[in-house]
Amino acid sequence: MSSTFLPSRHQEWQPESAEERLDHLRSVQQIQQLPVRYALAVDSRDMDALAELFVENVRVGKQLYGRDELKRWMTEALGQLGRTIHLVANHILSFRDADHAAGVVYCRDEVEHEQSWTVGHLQYWDTYERRGGRWYFVRRIYNRWAVVDEIARSNTGFEGQGLTTHELPQAWPTWDRFHSQIASS
C-alpha cells in the first residue's frame, strides 16, 4: 500500500485560519459523499452520475482517459452482473493541501450471479481533487479481502403486505435504460 493511501495525522495538511477550517469541514462532507454516490450510481446503473463523480481526464486502465471511456468500461463490467448492493463505511481521509486528499473506504458488496449471490468485503484507496470548487475522484483502487460462498437470495417476502412500493433495482429509471442500451449494442 502506497503511503499516498495511508491517512496519517502526522503528515496531513492542517487548516490554520477560521476560514480554512470551515472550508476543510465542507470539504470533508463533500468528499464523504463521493463513495456513497458512487455506490448508488453503480447499484442503479446510472453511468452518467457515476462518471460525473470523477475528474474529466480520469485514467481508465493503463492507456485510456476521460469520462466517456470510464462509462464504456463500467458499462461493460456491470453489464456482466445482475443486481448489486454496496454498503459503504469507515471512510478515513487525509489532506495533502486544501485541494488534494486521499482516503480509504470500506465496502460490503453483494453481487447477483444469475440466480445466486456472492457477499464480499473490499476496500477502496481513493485520491480526490477539488476542481472549480467541487470535489471529484481522481482515482479509485479496488482491493478485495474476500468473497464468501454464494448464497441463495429469495424475493423480498413483503409482497402484499404494503411495506414496499417498488422493488429495487427496477424502481430506478436508470436501471432499465442501462440494460436497454446493453441489449442494443
Side-chain angles (χ1 to χ4, degrees):
M1 178 187 235
S2 164
S3 62
T4 304
F5 299 104
L6 283 174
S8 168
R9 294 188 70 166
H10 305 291
Q11 300 171 2
E12 185 175 345
W13 169 82
Q14 295 292 323
E16 294 180 13
S17 70
E19 184 177 303
E20 284 180 338
R21 287 192 296 274
L22 181 59
D23 179 63
H24 180 72
L25 289 172
R26 285 185 190 131
S27 292
V28 168
Q29 182 182 30
Q30 289 174 16
I31 292 170
Q32 287 180 332
Q33 284 290 301
L34 288 172
V36 177
R37 291 177 187 278
Y38 177 91
L40 178 59
V42 167
D43 292 344
S44 66
R45 301 303 192 269
D46 189 342
M47 298 297 101
D48 291 327
L50 182 120
E52 287 297 317
L53 298 172
F54 288 83
V55 294
E56 288 180 17
N57 61 336
V58 60
R59 187 173 122 192
V60 182
K62 295 186 182 207
Q63 298 178 355
L64 303 173
Y65 292 88
R67 289 178 179 158
D68 288 339
E69 290 295 335
L70 178 66
K71 286 193 318 190
R72 186 190 58 72
W73 188 86
M74 290 296 290
T75 297
E76 184 178 317
L78 293 171
Q80 299 174 33
L81 305 175
R83 296 173 287 179
T84 56
I85 303 167
H86 290 80
L87 179 63
V88 177
N90 299 358
H91 192 180
I92 309 300
L93 295 174
S94 180
F95 284 79
R96 235 181 32 219
D97 58 40
D99 295 321
H100 298 87
V104 175
V105 180
Y106 288 69
C107 180
R108 180 182 190 273
D109 67 337
E110 296 187 33
V111 179
E112 183 180 37
H113 304 276
E114 297 186 22
Q115 297 301 317
S116 62
W117 290 72
T118 58
V119 178
H121 302 92
L122 56 108
Q123 194 178 73
Y124 292 101
W125 297 346
D126 293 336
T127 307
Y128 314 103
E129 185 174 311
R130 180 165 44 185
R131 294 185 182 180
R134 183 173 168 198
W135 283 94
Y136 298 94
F137 290 114
V138 173
R139 187 165 188 206
R140 297 203 92 188
I141 297 176
Y142 169 92
N143 301 286
R144 171 75 65 194
W145 263 302
V147 175
V148 298
D149 296 332
E150 293 184 346
I151 58 173
R153 178 61 58 122
S154 66
N155 290 330
T156 61
F158 294 115
E159 292 82 10
Q161 296 180 14
L163 297 176
T164 62
T165 56
H166 301 289
E167 186 173 328
L168 291 173
Q170 290 82 5
W172 289 311
T174 52
W175 183 263
D176 288 334
R177 186 169 57 237
F178 173 85
H179 287 284
S180 295
Q181 290 171 347
I182 288 177
S184 66
S185 56

